[in-house]
Amino acid sequence: MVGKRRAWLAALLAAATYAVAGPAPAADGSYPERPVRIIVALGPGSATDSFARMLAEGLRSELKGDFIVENKAGAGGVIGGNFIAKAAPDGYTLGVLHSSVVTSATVIQPAVQYDPRTDFTYLGNTVSNPVVLLVPGASPFKKLEDLIEAAKKEPGRYNTGIIGMGSHSHFNLELLKSSSGAGLTRVPYSGGTSQILADLVGNQVDSASLIWAGLTEFIKEGKVRALAATSPLKGFPDVPTFESKGYPKVHLEVFLAVVAPPGLPKEISDKLVPAIERIVKNPRSEEMMSRLGYRVNYEPPAKAAQTIKDELEFLVPLAKQLSLTVKE
């Protein structure tokens, strides 16, 4: 049900955006001559998946070709990242990767077979999301302090679902634990947001650390409750930030990078980069992405690559400090 809802929202976004904006003039040259795969490193129904489907629809309109979303979930996104890094740099394999795949997961995951600084062609960073700590709607924990105090009194009793080891949802949980002393047990999921939400709504986990996109309806319907977020949530002023609760270190937010394998020819990137920028900055796109919890935070290729390098410089010492595995 969660996956169907997200897929429907993504399809609605894409159709409405380009019905209003109209198609761009046809790109000169022959690219793309055959279907282009857009790899998503999480499962169907995730926020990244929803954005990728909107991007695919936009690229179909912009470049007059067939762009198809393909999910390759597992290992917190590393499986998808490995696949893209090894693909042929011919423009027919692209990826929408959440920031963990190009930053935090590469720091602690031994399964990572790529260097995010050299093994991708960055086509731009697009949107960003707060990370939110949630509990089921029927949970006895009404405030962040309630969960923290309970987890301090009974370490190991309460668990928190995260989007795979090495994800930003994982790092923020570890930062909360180290800052508060709460004995929360992490439960990594490989299937992305939809799987965690299903278990959270079904009271199979006590809490979850998730990105904000796509959660608003679940909160409005009372199925889940947000205890705190990494930054203020539009339309939900009553949800406090971690900083306001005394935990400023819990601040990592998720961005979505559009990438290709290393060595992508310039003539292809010269077509893809401006098309992606137009799609992301389209006023209708911005408005509709905002409704799903996204904030447009576009960065062109060079800036996107620098952002990733800067975050890696922060995360490597952090992982060592938290005694997490660091990939040397």
Side-chain angles (χ1 to χ4, degrees), residues 74-95:
V78 169
I79 289 176
N82 285 339
F83 181 87
I84 297 165
K86 294 178 179 179
D90 56 8
Y92 292 94
T93 300
L94 308 177

Side-chain angles (χ1 to χ4, degrees), residues 17-26 57-58 60-64 278 282:
T17 298
Y18 284 89
V20 172
E57 185 64 29
R60 290 184 196 115
S61 178
E62 291 278 348
L63 299 183
K64 310 307 180 191
R278 284 194 297 268
N282 181 297

Side-chain angles (χ1 to χ4, degrees), residues 162-173:
I162 59 172
I163 309 174
M165 294 290 288
S167 67
H168 281 48
S169 73
H170 172 206
F171 267 90
N172 278 328
L173 174 63

Side-chain angles (χ1 to χ4, degrees), residues 25-80:
D28 55 0
S30 59
Y31 175 82
E33 295 178 306
R34 63 181 191 271
V36 178
R37 294 186 297 175
I38 300 179
I39 304 300
V40 175
L42 293 175
S46 66
T48 308
D49 179 72
S50 294
F51 174 83
R53 293 180 189 280
M54 188 192 74
L55 179 66
E57 185 64 29
L59 288 171
R60 290 184 196 115
S61 178
E62 291 278 348
L63 299 183
K64 310 307 180 191
D66 195 5
F67 290 80
I68 302 169
V69 173
E70 183 176 324
N71 299 90
K72 288 190 178 295
V78 169
I79 289 176

Side-chain angles (χ1 to χ4, degrees), residues 6 10 13 38-43 45-56 69 71 76-77 84 94-104 120-131 163 167-169 192-193 210-214 252-260 273 276-277 279-281 285 288-290 292-301 303-305 307-308 311:
R6 292 269 174 76
L13 274 170
I38 300 179
I39 304 300
V40 175
L42 293 175
S46 66
T48 308
D49 179 72
S50 294
F51 174 83
R53 293 180 189 280
M54 188 192 74
L55 179 66
V69 173
N71 299 90
I84 297 165
L94 308 177
V96 174
L97 300 179
H98 56 290
S99 49
S100 302
V101 183
V102 291
T103 57
S104 54
F120 295 112
T121 297
Y122 289 97
L123 302 174
N125 289 340
T126 56
V127 295
S128 59
N129 296 271
V131 176
I163 309 174
S167 67
H168 281 48
S169 73
T193 300
L210 294 175
I211 62 174
W212 174 242
L252 293 172
E253 300 204 339
V254 172
F255 57 85
L256 300 184
V258 183
V259 304
V273 169
I276 292 167
E277 182 175 2
I279 293 164
V280 173
K281 291 184 175 180
S285 295
M288 294 176 187
M289 285 187 287
S290 176
L292 286 181
Y294 291 108
R295 177 172 63 90
V296 172
N297 190 20
Y298 178 78
E299 294 179 341
K303 174 60 176 171
T307 293
I308 285 149
E311 189 158 302

